[in-house]
Amino acid sequence: MSRTWWRRAAAGLAVAALAAGGCTGPDRTPGPVSPPGPVESWVYQLQGYPGGQLTELARAPHKLAVIDLARDGRDDYFTADEVAALRASGKVVLAYFEIGAIETYRPEYPGLRADAGDLILNRWPDWPEEFFVRYWDARWWDRVVRPRIDKAAAAGFDGIYLDTPLAYEELDLALVPGHSRDDLARAMVDLIGRISGHARASRPGMLVFPQNSPELREYDGYLDAVDGVGMEELFFRAPDEPCDAGFCATNLDHAAALRAAGKTVLAVDYASHADNVRAACARYRETGFAGYVTTRALDRISAPCA
């Protein structure tokens, strides 16, 4: 399953109408999020913001944007004014962060390594600056996940985009004796449910989109906790390789089931050849997914499907 390329680079990098109910009042406390209408286009950018600003994203025609909580992937968090300006351009705006792993360049990492090192499990071989964690542990919630939700709510994001639910498949079972993959999947769904409850209590109507692992829909509580799912590489794997492995078909089936259940599917494929871009866009129309075709670096704004 794909990972967004930007995390490797980040360590080296020092719908207004749809969401009108989320305007800030005189005390600048974000109000409730209005239910979004159908999402037909979206943009996914986690680095490469020109001048560190969101101006180019605001000018883009897409109706939903996923950006990181922080412009530098570290602790330079986007402000409420910046998020409000992006939302005022007519976009629903989701804050990206991880829930099943932690990168060494994130601001929480040094403290966890110093006094809660047992939370940090095996390194992800393909991503040497990233470690899976005991995501079911209360300390992970208290020190990492809940503060990130609170930052997103305070900044006025319409919702949150949660990466690495797939930690349940990837962490080393030898480091968590007594646990099975099924136990870990259940624990991930419980975490997503807790995130959803806290986010919506913090800001009513806040949207929740996990990325990948659509098979978690088979566990009780998942469907009620999420508004949709982000899916990488349903049709093309980077760079420009047709996704024809068995897991591609399985992921597509689960994503289609979520769409049939009334959930929004935000699909992103990594392709640059014109024929592949057209093919991916055609598949989005067939499936009813909101699709976006871009480069794996997620460092630029690509055109929406025609």
Side-chain angles (χ1 to χ4, degrees):
M1 205 167 282
S2 173
R3 292 280 292 148
T4 48
W5 172 90
W6 91 287
R7 295 177 191 77
R8 291 179 291 171
L13 298 173
V15 190
L18 296 179
C23 296
T24 57
D27 62 355
R28 307 205 60 76
T29 301
V33 176
S34 294
V39 177
E40 296 180 353
S41 63
W42 71 298
V43 57
Y44 191 7
Q45 186 176 16
L46 297 182
Q47 65 172 344
Y49 310 107
Q53 304 300 309
L54 301 175
T55 307
E56 293 302 316
L57 274 173
R59 293 173 180 157
H62 314 74
K63 293 304 181 182
L64 184 147
V66 174
I67 62 173
D68 197 274
L69 268 176
R71 79 190 76 242
D72 62 353
R74 298 175 186 250
D75 57 5
D76 186 7
Y77 297 104
F78 285 112
T79 67
D81 286 343
E82 290 174 305
V83 174
L86 185 55
R87 294 178 65 245
S89 72
K91 293 177 181 59
V92 172
V93 185
L94 308 183
Y96 169 98
F97 58 87
E98 296 209 30
I99 61 172
I102 190 165
E103 307 100 321
T104 58
Y105 48 83
R106 293 291 183 178
E108 304 94 342
Y109 179 82
L112 292 181
R113 182 60 80 181
D115 60 29
D118 61 307
L119 285 179
I120 301 172
L121 299 172
N122 53 295
R123 188 190 301 269
W124 199 341
D126 291 339
W127 311 99
E129 293 173 332
E130 187 154 359
F131 292 83
F132 297 109
V133 298
R134 296 180 187 270
Y135 52 82
W136 57 92
D137 191 293
R139 295 168 296 167
W140 176 247
W141 170 261
D142 290 336
R143 297 179 61 163
V144 179
V145 177
R146 183 175 61 190
R148 290 178 177 180
I149 301 169
D150 293 343
K151 283 183 174 67
F157 282 93
D158 295 295
I160 48 182
Y161 189 89
L162 312 171
D163 201 5
T164 55
L166 56 74
Y168 87 90
E169 296 181 280
E170 300 289 345
L171 62 80
D172 185 351
L173 288 178
L175 299 177
V176 287
H179 286 278
S180 66
R181 293 295 176 202
D182 184 66
D183 297 333
L184 296 172
R186 178 71 262 173
M188 180 55 74
V189 172
D190 290 345
L191 176 59
I192 292 170
R194 189 176 187 184
I195 290 168
S196 179
H198 184 73
R200 292 165 179 172
S202 301
R203 189 171 182 214
M206 204 164 183
L207 305 172
V208 177
F209 280 75
Q211 177 168 274
N212 298 323
S213 302
E215 69 279 359
L216 293 176
R217 71 181 182 85
E218 297 178 332
Y219 288 80
D220 291 343
Y222 181 85
L223 288 177
D224 290 338
V226 307
D227 298 279
V229 64
M231 292 299 307
E232 291 182 290
E233 299 182 326
L234 283 174
F235 306 117
F236 287 94
R237 305 176 67 185
D240 283 282
E241 293 293 330
C243 193
D244 52 14
F247 74 82
C248 303
T250 300
N251 282 343
L252 181 57
D253 287 345
H254 282 297
L258 285 165
R259 178 72 181 85
K263 306 301 179 181
T264 298
V265 177
L266 303 176
V268 58
D269 285 278
Y270 302 125
S272 58
H273 297 166
D275 288 346
N276 293 340
V277 173
R278 284 193 292 269
C281 288
R283 295 303 304 274
Y284 302 147
R285 290 190 292 272
E286 292 171 7
T287 57
F289 300 163
Y292 182 56
V293 189
T294 190
T295 61
R296 198 180 183 197
L298 298 177
D299 62 349
R300 67 194 65 186
I301 300 169
S302 298
C305 289

